Amino acid sequence: MKIIVGRGKGDSGRCDALALLFIEAELRLDAAGKAADRESGGAVSRLLRDGFEGKRDQVEVIPAGRSSRFGHVVLLGLGKKEKLDAESFRRAGGGLAGALAKRTVKLCRAALLPAEAVPIAVEECARALAEGALLRSYRFTEYKKAENDQGIQTLAIFGGGPKAPAALTRAAVIGEEHAYVRNLINRPARDLAPEDLAAEARASGRRFGFGCRVFTEKDLSRMGYHAILAVGQGSRRPPRLVVLNYAGGPKKQKPLALVGKGVIFDSGGISIKPAQGMEQMKGDMAGAAAVLGIIRSAARLSLRHNLFGVLPLAENLPGGGAQRPGDIIRTGAGVTVEVMSTDAEGRLVLADGIHHAKKLKPRAIVDVATLTGAAFIALGSHAIALMGNDEGLLARITAAGIAAGERTWILPLWEEYEEILKSEVADLKNNSWTREAGTICGGIFLKKFAGDTPWAHLDIAGVDWNEKSHPYLAKGPTAKGMRLLVRMLEEHAD
Ligand code: BES
Ligand code: MN
Ligand code: ZN
C-alpha cells in the first residue's frame, strides 16, 4: 500500500473508496460526508440514523453504487471524544484496510477530522491512520501466495496539515520495517539459522548505510562468551553475535545500545518443552528482529542518534553436544552460572549480549526479549513487561509505548528477589523451580550483567504473538518493541 498526502479538502474527485471518520455521539457530516451521502442516494445518513454509532472499532461499508463517484464509502468509528488518542486512529486505519482487503481499491481517500475536533495534532492523526492501515495490510507470503492481491493500493490522507508529509513518511518507513521484522519472525528456523539472520543484518547494513560485524563461534570462544556458545552447542548450526552500528548522531553523543534475544528456535534443549505449541518457538528471535528493524528504521529516517544493535544468535536444541542441567558456565563477564534449566536460555545469551553492549560504553542499554512465559501470566497480552535500573529511562520507554500503541507495565527488581537465583556452586543460577516471580527473575538475572549502566529490559513473551485478530495486527507475530523504541528515538533525538 502506498500512502500519499491528499491535497485540497478531499471532498471531490473520483476514487474507488472514501473513508469517513466519526466520533461517537457526534455524527456530523462534513463536506466530504455530505457529498458521499448525495452520491450514495442517502445511504450514509440512513446508516447514521440507525446502526452506525461511531463506536471504537466500528466499521460499516456502503458498497459502491453504479453512479457513485466515490466507490465504496467506509464509515469508521473512533469512539468517545474523551478517550480519543493516536491509538483510536491507528485502529480505525486498521479497520479501513481490513474492510477493503477483499476488494479492488486503486485509490482510497480518507478525510481526517478538523483540528478543532480532536485533542491531538492532525499530523499525528494522519500518521496513526496510515500506520494502522499499513500494519493491517501485512501478509506473510514467502511460502504461500496471498489468496488475493487486492485491498487498498493507494491511500490518500486529507487534512493532515503542513506537517503531514514528514509524518506520513515515518508511517510508511515504519510500516515497511514492521513487515520486514514480521517476515523474519514468521520465517521457519529451517530457513533462518543464526548465520542466515546474520546475513540479513549484513545485507541491511550495506543497503541502509550502517556497520555490521559478525562474530563466529571461534570469535565467541576467544572472547570467552561461553553463555551464547553453551546455548548453541546442541545444534549443528553454530551461534553468532552480530553488532550493528549506526552513527547518525553528533560525534560527542554517547551511543545507545539495543540488545535483542535471537534464539532462532527454542526447543528448550535437554529441559525440553512440551510438543504442543513448540512451533511458535521459531519466533524466539523476535527481540533480535525488532532491534534489526529499529536500526534499519533509524538509518532510513536519519534519526539523530548513535546506536549499537547487539544480537546474540543461537539455536537451542537437545543434540548430542547440548549443554546439560547442572552444567556451570563462565559468561563473558566472568560471572559463573549454574544451568538449572536449559530452557532458561534467553537470559544466558543476553548475559553475553549485555556484557558486550557494556564494552561499547553506551549511555544506556535496552534489551528486548521473548524471555518468560510468566509475562503472559502476569499481564496477559496487553502490556510489555518492563524492568530496569533507571527511572528516567523507564519513564521515557513508558511514554513512547503509549504514543506508539505498545503499552508497557513496570515490574520491580527489588534486591529481595535476588535470593531466588542464588546458587550453592556458582555466582548465579539461571532458574529456580519455585515458580515465584518468573518474569522478575529474568530481570534480576540480567540486572547483574547491566551493572551500573542505565538499563531497561522489555520482556515481550506475553505480547509477541497474536492469537486473535486485532484491528491492525493480524494473527501471528506482532513485532512488539520495535515501534515503541523507534518512537523513543524520535522523541529524544540528539
Ligand atoms: N522463549 C521462552 C519464553 C516464551 C514462552 C516466549 C512462551 C514466548 C512464548 C523462554 O526461553 C523460556 O523457555 N522461558 C522459560 C523460563 C523458565 C525456564 C525460567 C519459561 O517461560 O518457562
Ligand atoms: Mn526457553
Ligand atoms: Zn527462549
Side-chain angles (χ1 to χ4, degrees):
M1 184 188 305
K2 216 178 118 192
I3 305 287
I4 60 173
V5 181
R7 307 273 171 209
K9 283 201 262 150
D11 53 359
S12 56
R14 285 197 166 275
C15 53
D16 307 296
L18 179 73
L20 301 171
L21 292 161
F22 294 93
I23 296 172
E24 188 175 342
E26 293 186 22
L27 303 179
R28 277 192 299 267
L29 284 178
D30 58 8
K34 282 182 188 140
D37 193 35
R38 249 180 279 119
E39 291 277 332
S40 65
V44 175
S45 45
R46 272 197 300 280
L47 254 180
L48 294 186
R49 235 173 293 127
D50 55 4
F52 186 83
E53 296 163 286
K55 286 207 154 61
R56 187 167 100 145
D57 298 339
Q58 198 179 5
V59 183
E60 292 287 347
V61 182
I62 302 169
R66 227 169 285 144
S67 67
S68 172
R69 257 192 308 149
F70 301 133
H72 310 292
V73 178
V74 186
L75 277 60
L76 301 167
L78 293 165
K80 294 207 174 71
K81 184 158 192 172
E82 318 80 85
K83 289 197 174 166
L84 210 60
D85 59 6
E87 185 68 1
S88 321
F89 286 85
R90 215 176 277 117
R91 293 175 83 102
L96 173 61
L100 298 176
K102 297 207 165 88
R103 306 178 207 240
T104 307
V105 180
K106 281 211 181 93
L107 175 66
C108 175
R109 304 154 78 89
L112 294 167
L113 300 170
E116 60 279 9
V118 286
I120 48 173
V122 278
E123 69 273 13
E124 275 296 314
C125 300
R127 173 178 176 170
L129 190 78
E131 201 171 86
L134 285 163
L135 297 189
R136 174 65 184 254
S137 64
Y138 170 78
R139 292 197 194 89
F140 181 56
T141 56
E142 290 182 10
Y143 299 83
K144 186 185 181 193
K145 281 213 186 87
E147 275 146 39
N148 61 68
D149 50 2
Q150 291 155 322
I152 304 171
Q153 283 170 28
T154 302
L155 175 60
I157 299 181
F158 293 79
K163 292 184 185 150
L168 292 179
T169 300
R170 293 198 167 189
V173 167
I174 290 165
E176 277 176 34
E177 290 306 319
H178 196 268
Y180 173 80
V181 172
R182 277 190 281 179
N183 279 342
L184 292 179
I185 300 170
N186 267 318
R187 197 171 299 161
R190 176 186 175 92
D191 294 330
L192 196 70
E195 176 53 37
D196 298 324
L197 189 44
E200 286 282 344
R202 230 185 263 115
S204 299
R206 273 198 299 272
R207 179 159 170 211
F208 298 119
F210 54 83
C212 175
R213 186 157 175 210
V214 179
F215 297 94
T216 66
E217 68 275 28
K218 284 203 192 95
D219 301 321
L220 295 173
S221 180
R222 185 176 40 77
M223 293 151 92
Y225 288 4
H226 299 295
I228 302 179
L229 287 166
V231 171
Q233 75 188 40
S235 166
R236 292 197 190 163
R237 304 188 293 178
R240 294 284 181 265
L241 178 71
V242 172
V243 180
L244 309 167
N245 178 14
Y246 167 66
K251 270 217 173 63
K252 58 176 195 316
Q253 181 201 65
K254 275 179 106 185
L256 178 69
L258 304 171
V259 183
K261 171 178 172 182
V263 174
I264 60 101
F265 185 76
D266 181 13
S267 70
I270 296 296
S271 315
I272 199 158
K273 286 183 179 295
Q276 197 180 356
M278 202 200 277
E279 68 284 352
Q280 247 188 47
M281 286 299 124
K282 69 175 182 179
D284 211 21
M285 32 53 74
V291 169
L292 176 55
I294 293 161
I295 306 268
R296 286 168 53 111
S297 303
R300 292 184 64 182
L301 295 171
S302 305
L303 298 184
R304 306 263 301 147
H305 278 280
N306 295 325
L307 301 174
F308 282 111
V310 179
L311 317 178
L313 309 175
E315 180 168 38
N316 190 21
L317 289 184
Q323 68 168 334
R324 297 140 288 249
D327 281 0
I328 298 174
I329 52 184
R330 185 176 295 276
T331 66
V335 175
T336 57
V337 179
E338 181 186 8
V339 178
M340 300 291 284
S341 169
T342 62
D343 198 12
E345 85 299 339
R347 59 199 70 182
L348 297 178
V349 301
L350 287 173
D352 281 346
I354 290 172
H355 171 70
H356 190 81
K358 262 192 87 155
K359 290 208 293 197
L360 301 167
K361 303 213 183 315
R363 67 179 188 276
I365 298 174
V366 180
D367 77 72
V368 188
T370 47
L371 207 68
T372 64
F376 180 75
I377 306 300
L379 299 169
S381 56
H382 298 295
I384 296 169
L386 175 62
M387 288 144 274
N389 62 9
D390 186 279
E391 299 277 332
L393 181 59
L394 294 179
R396 288 197 292 283
I397 292 175
T398 300
I402 292 167
E406 295 191 336
R407 283 180 296 184
T408 59
W409 198 256
I410 298 175
L411 298 180
L413 296 181
W414 297 316
E415 63 182 41
E416 284 81 353
Y417 290 109
E418 287 167 21
E419 201 63 41
I420 305 171
L421 294 181
K422 280 200 176 136
S423 163
E424 300 277 319
V425 289
D427 297 328
L428 264 180
K429 56 188 181 190
N430 76 336
N431 182 30
S432 79
W433 294 106
T434 62
R435 302 180 68 239
E436 65 192 293
T439 301
I440 289 174
C441 278
I444 287 286
F445 186 94
L446 299 178
K447 187 176 163 203
K448 176 117 184 150
F449 295 88
D452 48 18
T453 304
W455 155 79
H457 163 53
L458 276 66
D459 189 337
I460 55 169
V463 299
D464 66 323
W465 210 273
N466 257 358
E467 298 296 344
K468 290 179 246 145
S469 61
H470 170 277
Y472 59 85
L473 288 170
K475 284 186 192 169
T478 60
K480 285 270 167 84
M482 180 214 150
R483 290 190 306 106
L484 181 158
L485 289 171
V486 172
R487 188 75 194 201
M488 184 180 80
L489 296 176
E490 286 180 49
E491 288 179 5
H492 301 275
D494 285 319

